[in-house]
Amino acid sequence: MKKALLAAALTFSLFAANAKSFSLQVVQRNTPGDQVFDSSFVVEQTILDHFFDRGMIVSNNSILVSKDDAVKEKTDLRRSMMEARIGCMDLFVKLDLNYSVLDSANPTAILLSNIKSADMEIVSLKDDAAIAKGKFTPPSLTDLNNNRSGVEDFAEDIAKKIQAEIAERGGAI
């Protein structure tokens, strides 16, 4: 029995030693005003849940609303990265959610049709270098996916890509 417990503890230790932790920063783009849309919260929470459910250490910062102020945005992103370093995270994942709400009857609703695309960048906090990038477009719209469930499915696809990119670079998930 002691050998089995020791083996389990050793296996867990090896897993923990190879696991990569990351901080997620969602940036909401192309939206009017300063309000964080509910869809942005749903995307963020779905990604965080994906990794929490797999026992990965992940944190997040408040969602940023981009207002075409490059200096302020760069400062905000640096602050987020510094907080990730202070929290001993290995990676920083920036996810730009690009909205298209000019023709939307309800731009703040949790609708897949309001999201045009998402751009992901994974940065190694050790080297301050981008190690992966990706672009995602939502699937074709139907009456069945233009809702919260469709937004969650889109976010889950993004989470799986983040997971694959991290695993490819030696991070156990």
Side-chain angles (χ1 to χ4, degrees), residues 55-80:
M56 185 149 177
I57 298 170
V58 63
S59 69
N60 65 307
N61 291 298
S62 298
I63 295 171
L64 299 176
V65 178
S66 177
K67 289 290 151 208
D68 294 327
D69 183 346
V71 173
K72 181 180 181 332
E73 186 171 317
K74 190 173 185 178
T75 300
D76 289 342
L77 288 171
R78 281 188 181 161
R79 178 188 42 79
S80 294

Side-chain angles (χ1 to χ4, degrees), residues 70-117:
V71 173
K72 181 180 181 332
E73 186 171 317
K74 190 173 185 178
T75 300
D76 289 342
L77 288 171
R78 281 188 181 161
R79 178 188 42 79
S80 294
M81 289 178 82
M82 184 173 56
E83 289 173 4
R85 280 189 188 91
I86 290 169
C88 298
M89 297 291 141
D90 299 307
L91 304 170
F92 183 79
V93 177
K94 183 178 120 193
L95 183 68
D96 292 330
L97 285 178
N98 305 302
Y99 282 81
S100 179
V101 295
L102 292 177
D103 298 329
S104 177
N106 193 352
T108 62
I110 304 173
L111 298 173
L112 190 59
S113 60
N114 288 337
I115 301 174
K116 179 181 176 185
S117 64

Side-chain angles (χ1 to χ4, degrees), residues 106-145:
N106 193 352
T108 62
I110 304 173
L111 298 173
L112 190 59
S113 60
N114 288 337
I115 301 174
K116 179 181 176 185
S117 64
D119 298 301
M120 175 220 37
E121 180 178 30
I122 302 174
V123 175
S124 166
L125 291 172
K126 178 182 176 187
D127 323 20
D128 237 2
I131 60 171
K133 292 184 179 190
K135 183 161 186 81
F136 307 90
T137 53
S140 298
L141 293 173
T142 68
D143 290 339
L144 298 175
N145 72 1

